[in-house]
Amino acid sequence: MTGGREHSLMRAAVLGVPWLWLSAFILLPFSIVVAISLSVATDAQPPYVFGPVLDNYRLIVEDTLYLAALGNAIRIAATSSVVCLFIGYPMAYAIARAQPRWRGPLLALVILPFWTSFLIRIYAWMTLLRPTGLINQVLIDLGIIDAPLQLMNNAFAVHLGIIYAYLPFMILPLYASIERLDPSLLEAAADLGSRPWRRFLSVTLPLTLPGIVAGTLLVFVPAVGEFVIPELLGGPDTPMIGRLLWTEFFNNRDWPVAASIAVALTALLVVPVAILQHMLAPREEAREVNP
Amino acid sequence: MTHRLAGGLLIALGLGYTFLYLPILLLIVFSFNESRLVTVWTGFSTKWYGELLRNERILDAAWLSLIVAACSATLAVAIGTLAGVALARYGRFRLRWLFAGLLAAPLIMPEVITGLSLLLMFVSMDQVVGWPASRGFGTIVVAHATLSTAFVAVIVQARLAGFDRAVEEAAADLGARPATVFWRITLPLIAPALVAGWLLAFTLSLDDVVIASFVAGPGTTTLPLVIFSSVRLGLSPQVNALAAIIVLVVSVLAAVAAWANRGRFA
Amino acid sequence: MSTDHRRPLLSVESISKSFAGIPALADVNLQIGRGELFALLGASGSGKTTLLRIIAGLERPDSGRIRIEGRDVTGLPAYERPVNTVFQSYALFPHMTVRGNIAFGLKQDRLPRETIEARVREMLELVQMSEYAARRPHQLSGGQRQRVALARSLAKLPKLLLLDEPMAALDRKLREQMRVELVTIQKRVGITFILVTHDQEEALSLASRLAVMERGRIVQVGTPREIYDRPASRFVASFIGQINLFEGRVIERAGGMLTIRPDDGGPDIRATDGAAADVGDAVAVAVRPEKMRVGRAGPGANVRRGLVRHVEFLGESSVVHVEIGAGPRVRVSVPHGNGAAMPSTGDIVEVSWPAEAGVILRN
């Protein structure tokens, strides 16, 4: 739309307010994190003195603790994403192929847990997995085991918690891409002699790939930095990078190391994901109407 | 095309929903258990609900959380709407890539990083400009609004992309000034997105434990912080009761929303 | 229809516009008089909608001026121009009733409530939508939506009404009905209409004058009759209706009569077109199918022999496709019902046309 001063004023406001907010509460904080990651920890208040030094980065690269925690987090997040995909794909497919009037309610049932508390859903598993929890009790009552199994505070429980908490994030984008799939494409493939499995592999799967990528990213990315799940369900043998950052900050009061973990994690995780998403995003036709 | 699902798919669906709902259902069942040992059934009782409703700490925290959630959601809707309008309507404005990137950062950034960076910013701001002198209500609201703005912007942008831009042009063509177009045409048309965005932001705030752990002061404890600290120490039947109440409230709200929206799905 | 070209209502002066470096309009000039129903005709991408949006104030030109009644409005935003638009999608406000939609523009002018109500009632009657005043756009059919859009834009009594492909969303039968109605309404309100369309039939049947656009330029302006009978270029000739082209070279010019020697080696063609073609120019002779006939015409007519390849039945007439030696395949429109024998595929026939029927198109 072309037009006068009023239009320019409005444009300035619509752009200006978010710019201010984003600068103050995202750009500035992250710049401060970068600055602190280059600082030296002290006992003063606040507990750092600006360097700039690269000691903190040297530490997190040289001390195997950090790399191990990062590797472990990536491994756990990747395994959980794949399991989510295998559970989520058939569910999303079934919902997308259900009668239209059932799709809404079925989808709502997937989303509903998301609206209840995340903490409480993790707590629910704690009550089930504990040595005196329901699963162990039932197994003992049935005489299958004599002593309680160690189901909690290990890698298994962390996987389970992540899969449970993030499954809806996998199903939603998968559903969206499967639902969009034109059924006549499958009919055409069938008409050309393709059998059901072959049809799935050669038509459905490639065409729903954007949903698969989106769902996997939605599970993988937050899972890598997850803190609550490893804290509540994990144990000493499941170090994860998000929990380590927390420990460095709150328990060791080492702000510079915590900040350098944040910067390193951003560089390793957020930047590649952003690039990947940018590449996968459909090209929008951002025709500038107002020159 | 037939709509009869194959047996395998039905089983997958059944198992999936069982996985999603069984733990929650068991949690609710055991909230009526008399025993303190949560998982050993000794008899029906509603005493934990009574204890919960007498627990000042939890009630105060719940009240604080609701207010924080309402304030941060309102703030997030205001800023997120402007950001969504900018992205959907202003094409390639200068530094758009940076704008979109900063906006989306909280969506992909691990919560520990968002929380850490906001806290470090508040500490530095306090040193330099004397604000915020103490952390608490204000800093949590700002932090949660920052987190939710991105979600609101995405929803608003999608809604704007979904409707005919000529409608706004028609209003201008009929003599409506830019501000009038925004208030009389654009806002009413994206109202459903604003409601959805507000509810999402409200839920995100009510659910957040990580960011609040960083930016909350010693005196301000939100409900998730209370739950987190008590769950960390072990199981608590009151949390079961709380879970049951939350699930009930959410289900009722969802049912009401579904009823209000009936027939709107084209 | 009276059109005053000396004091135009709208004058478009040297308008140019490009999007991201791609020119959409190049030096467009146009004058439109009061009371005209003017059509901008062109294929998609010809720039006709861009020109319309510039006139409406929804797009700003890179250079040039727009004047309405002599007043320069180039810098005015859409909401300050005495111009209203019927959008292709109709762009009705989905959250308002039909009445609310029509009243919207009047409310922007802060007119008294009684005036608004009276005008809305009047407009509803004009487009015969009075019973639907309380409905919302999604409860209306396509044709009804179009009427509401028209009423909404006319309610402000603009000096100029712009219509962007107003019939595109309607089915064929409704379209023909709406054409008649649009002309009736235009006559009743007396407002100048500018209509953008890609449909030549629509432009020819509705417009008092039209401009043909191609690649961001206006290539011909005239009445439908002028443009149909005397196309100014090969593009206009082939864009509007069917036409047969004989390529050749002018060999003689005498007393308003041109003699053209066709490139295909057939007999010379005579044409009485007054076009400024000189001896030696390469030209094409364009002849409309309905101006040709099968069989020998009167003395002085051009005659060619050929083989009937195909006869296309079109209801009131048939089109006979005749292959002429090494030359072009020509189409001859033959009306039914006047007793003339219809040739059939495989016949050898003569086709003929009088010298006045040929239009000379220069390369």
Side-chain angles (χ1 to χ4, degrees):
Chain A
M1 218 173 297
T2 115
R5 247 166 57 84
E6 210 171 314
H7 193 260
S8 323
L9 275 175
M10 180 136 160
R11 190 184 157 99
V14 170
L15 277 172
V17 173
W19 262 125
L20 269 179
W21 184 274
L22 295 174
S23 308
F25 299 125
I26 292 178
L27 191 58
L28 176 65
F30 200 74
S31 311
I32 290 171
V33 170
V34 171
I36 293 176
S37 77
L38 301 171
S39 305
V40 182
T42 67
D43 282 335
Q45 180 70 326
Y48 64 90
V49 175
F50 185 67
V53 291
L54 287 171
D55 296 11
N56 307 303
Y57 289 102
R58 201 168 297 130
L59 174 77
I60 63 174
V61 172
E62 281 170 3
D63 191 330
T64 53
L65 177 70
Y66 303 95
L67 284 180
L70 177 67
N72 200 42
I74 290 175
R75 201 161 46 243
I76 288 177
T79 318
S80 307
S81 306
V82 172
V83 177
C84 270
L85 180 63
F86 277 94
I87 301 175
Y89 203 102
M91 287 183 74
Y93 194 88
I95 298 171
R97 291 286 171 261
Q99 286 190 22
R101 70 196 162 98
W102 284 110
R103 285 179 207 163
L106 285 173
L107 211 55
L109 278 179
V110 171
I111 303 169
L112 201 58
F114 167 78
W115 295 90
T116 67
S117 167
F118 172 80
L119 263 180
I120 281 173
R121 283 183 292 144
I122 300 305
Y123 171 75
W125 278 106
M126 292 173 69
T127 66
L128 293 177
L129 296 175
R130 275 157 50 93
T132 57
L134 205 61
I135 294 176
N136 273 316
Q137 270 192 3
V138 169
L139 290 177
I140 289 172
D141 289 352
L142 292 175
I144 296 172
I145 52 172
D146 300 325
L149 298 171
Q150 176 63 37
L151 296 173
M152 218 172 90
N153 301 117
N154 56 21
F156 164 76
V158 175
H159 279 103
L160 188 63
I162 291 176
I163 293 162
Y164 183 70
Y166 289 106
L167 184 58
F169 293 101
M170 176 62 86
I171 295 176
L172 293 181
L174 283 177
Y175 168 80
S177 68
I178 296 170
E179 204 253 358
R180 252 202 311 272
L181 186 70
D182 182 357
S184 66
L185 291 176
L186 291 176
E187 289 169 354
D191 183 60
L192 294 168
S194 176
R195 299 191 164 279
W197 260 105
R198 177 106 209 115
R199 225 146 62 207
F200 177 78
L201 291 176
S202 60
V203 178
T204 311
L205 212 52
L207 287 176
T208 53
L209 197 62
I212 294 174
V213 173
T216 308
L217 283 180
L218 280 178
V219 176
F220 178 79
V221 174
V224 170
E226 184 56 53
F227 163 74
V228 173
I229 294 172
E231 177 71 13
L232 294 181
L233 293 174
D237 63 330
T238 55
M240 282 181 74
I241 193 74
R243 198 177 171 200
L244 194 58
L245 187 156
W246 178 288
T247 311
E248 289 292 352
F249 186 80
F250 285 109
N251 303 4
N252 304 345
R253 277 185 65 79
D254 195 334
W255 291 19
V257 167
S260 59
I261 293 175
V263 174
L265 192 53
T266 305
L268 284 173
L269 188 67
V270 176
V271 173
V273 167
I275 292 170
L276 190 63
Q277 272 184 335
H278 184 74
M279 276 163 36
L280 286 172
R283 289 262 152 262
E284 65 170 324
E285 26 176 349
R287 192 176 71 123
E288 174 63 278
V289 173
N290 186 21
Chain B
M1 203 152 150
T2 75
H3 282 294
R4 281 190 34 232
L5 292 179
L9 285 178
L10 270 182
I11 292 170
L13 212 50
L15 288 177
Y17 285 119
T18 307
F19 175 60
L20 282 176
Y21 281 93
L22 193 60
I24 300 176
L25 289 179
L26 288 171
L27 200 63
I28 294 173
V29 168
F30 279 92
S31 74
F32 295 104
N33 186 8
E34 217 234 323
S35 163
R36 169 166 294 280
L37 289 168
V38 182
T39 50
V40 184
W41 185 265
T42 54
F44 181 86
S45 161
T46 55
K47 70 173 178 185
W48 302 117
Y49 289 86
E51 273 197 30
L52 177 73
L53 295 177
R54 281 189 298 276
N55 187 332
E56 294 271 326
R57 200 162 159 254
I58 286 191
L59 292 182
D60 287 350
W63 183 240
L64 176 72
S65 276
L66 288 175
I67 295 181
V68 165
C71 291
S72 65
T74 307
L75 203 52
V77 165
I79 297 156
T81 301
L82 294 179
V85 169
L87 286 176
R89 288 291 184 256
Y90 289 169
R92 295 196 191 104
F93 55 84
R94 205 179 321 158
L95 292 178
R96 183 190 162 101
W97 62 272
L98 182 63
F99 186 90
L102 290 176
L103 190 63
L107 292 176
I108 42 178
M109 206 108 89
E111 287 171 321
V112 281
I113 298 184
T114 308
L116 175 75
S117 60
L118 280 165
L119 171 63
L120 295 182
M121 188 271 299
F122 288 136
V123 171
S124 311
M125 291 272 280
D126 182 23
Q127 284 177 296
V128 178
V129 298
W131 179 91
S134 69
R135 290 185 297 281
F137 178 78
T139 51
I140 307 177
V141 167
V142 166
H144 283 176
T146 302
L147 173 71
S148 306
T149 297
F151 290 88
V152 176
V154 167
I155 295 173
V156 167
Q157 194 189 352
R159 174 88 189 175
L160 279 172
F163 80 75
D164 186 4
R165 183 163 188 179
V167 171
E168 287 164 295
E169 292 181 339
D173 183 68
L174 291 167
R177 307 185 147 270
T180 314
V181 175
F182 187 75
W183 286 106
R184 295 284 319 275
I185 305 295
T186 313
L187 265 192
L189 288 179
I190 60 173
L194 301 191
V195 173
W198 194 90
L199 285 175
L200 183 60
F202 187 84
T203 312
L204 286 170
S205 168
L206 215 51
D207 210 18
D208 167 68
V209 58
V210 174
I211 294 174
S213 299
F214 280 95
V215 300
T220 41
T221 315
T222 60
L223 186 60
L225 291 180
V226 174
I227 300 176
F228 188 56
S229 61
S230 74
V231 160
R232 251 175 159 177
L233 297 174
L235 303 185
S236 148
Q238 285 185 28
V239 175
N240 283 51
L242 187 63
I245 292 173
I246 291 177
V247 169
L248 180 74
V249 169
V250 168
S251 305
V252 168
L253 286 181
V256 169
W259 180 78
N261 273 314
R262 73 199 184 286
R264 286 217 193 141
F265 300 107
Chain C
M1 197 157 299
S2 73
T3 52
D4 185 350
H5 297 287
R6 277 155 301 161
R7 283 199 19 233
L9 174 73
L10 169 76
S11 94
V12 173
E13 297 166 7
S14 310
I15 291 288
S16 294
K17 171 80 183 171
S18 48
F19 291 109
I22 299 156
L25 289 176
D27 194 30
V28 170
N29 288 282
L30 186 64
Q31 301 208 320
I32 294 174
R34 219 172 298 271
E36 282 199 75
L37 203 171
F38 193 92
L40 289 171
L41 175 64
S44 64
S46 61
K48 55 190 192 309
T49 296
T50 304
L51 179 57
L52 196 79
R53 289 173 62 86
I54 287 175
I55 297 171
L58 296 168
E59 212 84 67
R60 192 182 281 269
D62 298 341
S63 62
R65 303 261 134 230
I66 300 285
R67 287 179 207 281
I68 293 173
E69 291 182 324
R71 176 172 161 238
D72 188 347
V73 298
T74 318
L76 283 189
Y79 51 87
E80 286 175 358
R81 293 193 188 192
V83 176
N84 289 130
T85 309
V86 175
F87 288 81
Q88 184 174 359
S89 59
Y90 307 143
L92 297 179
F93 307 129
H95 56 305
M96 296 181 196
T97 60
V98 167
R99 183 181 287 118
N101 267 278
I102 298 176
F104 184 87
L106 301 168
K107 283 186 187 157
Q108 304 311 314
D109 290 349
R110 308 225 144 82
L111 296 176
R113 216 152 65 96
E114 307 81 67
T115 316
I116 294 180
E117 277 171 16
R119 186 81 61 78
V120 169
R121 218 173 304 126
E122 193 184 322
M123 287 300 140
L124 282 168
E125 273 163 33
L126 181 71
V127 297
Q128 298 162 35
M129 288 290 291
S130 302
E131 313 91 282
Y132 300 95
R135 296 248 184 126
R136 302 240 171 181
H138 68 91
Q139 298 169 308
L140 301 176
S141 72
Q144 291 170 333
R145 283 181 208 182
Q146 198 211 30
R147 287 156 191 268
V148 176
L150 189 60
R152 182 177 73 176
S153 310
L154 284 172
K156 295 193 77 170
L157 306 177
K159 294 196 157 55
L160 192 57
L161 184 80
L162 309 177
L163 301 104
D164 188 5
E165 301 269 8
M167 315 285 184
L170 305 178
D171 61 46
R172 195 183 162 83
K173 209 171 158 73
L174 200 53
R175 214 180 295 168
E176 281 164 9
Q177 182 195 331
M178 281 310 295
R179 266 185 216 159
V180 179
E181 228 167 289
L182 198 64
V183 173
T184 317
I185 288 174
Q186 197 259 344
K187 286 212 175 106
R188 262 180 75 182
V189 296
I191 290 172
T192 306
F193 281 21
I194 300 180
L195 171 109
V196 154
T197 181
H198 67 277
D199 181 345
Q200 39 135 334
E201 198 183 312
E202 190 172 300
L204 294 178
S205 68
L206 276 174
S208 54
R209 281 202 308 149
L210 62 129
V212 182
M213 295 192 67
E214 187 203 6
R215 283 194 242 147
R217 292 174 190 281
I218 291 182
V219 290
Q220 192 175 3
V221 183
T223 65
R225 181 102 228 170
E226 282 164 5
I227 287 182
Y228 187 80
D229 286 347
R230 294 272 167 248
S233 67
R234 281 160 199 267
F235 172 79
V236 177
S238 55
F239 186 70
I240 293 178
Q242 301 282 359
I243 206 145
N244 299 306
L245 291 176
F246 297 93
E247 306 286 344
R249 202 167 281 282
V250 179
I251 56 166
E252 194 194 321
R253 178 181 185 112
M257 179 69 75
L258 292 175
T259 307
I260 292 101
R261 178 146 300 161
D263 296 343
D264 62 48
D268 291 349
I269 298 169
R270 287 147 55 79
T272 57
D273 188 45
D278 289 323
V279 171
D281 286 356
V283 296
V285 182
V287 191
R288 295 280 178 200
E290 68 275 11
K291 298 211 168 142
M292 286 186 152
R293 50 182 293 192
V294 176
R296 193 171 282 274
N302 299 295
V303 181
R304 297 294 300 261
R305 278 173 78 80
L307 170 68
V308 176
R309 277 294 186 190
H310 177 55
V311 178
E312 198 180 345
F313 179 72
L314 293 179
E316 63 232 50
S317 65
S318 285
V319 172
V320 181
H321 295 245
V322 182
E323 194 173 272
I324 294 177
R329 187 180 270 210
V330 302
R331 299 163 210 228
V332 183
S333 176
V334 181
H336 296 150
N338 61 358
M342 189 62 65
S344 22
T345 305
D347 289 356
I348 302 283
V349 295
E350 283 184 326
V351 296
S352 62
W353 69 97
E356 316 83 81
V359 177
I360 302 296
L361 302 173
R362 300 181 41 156
N363 289 355

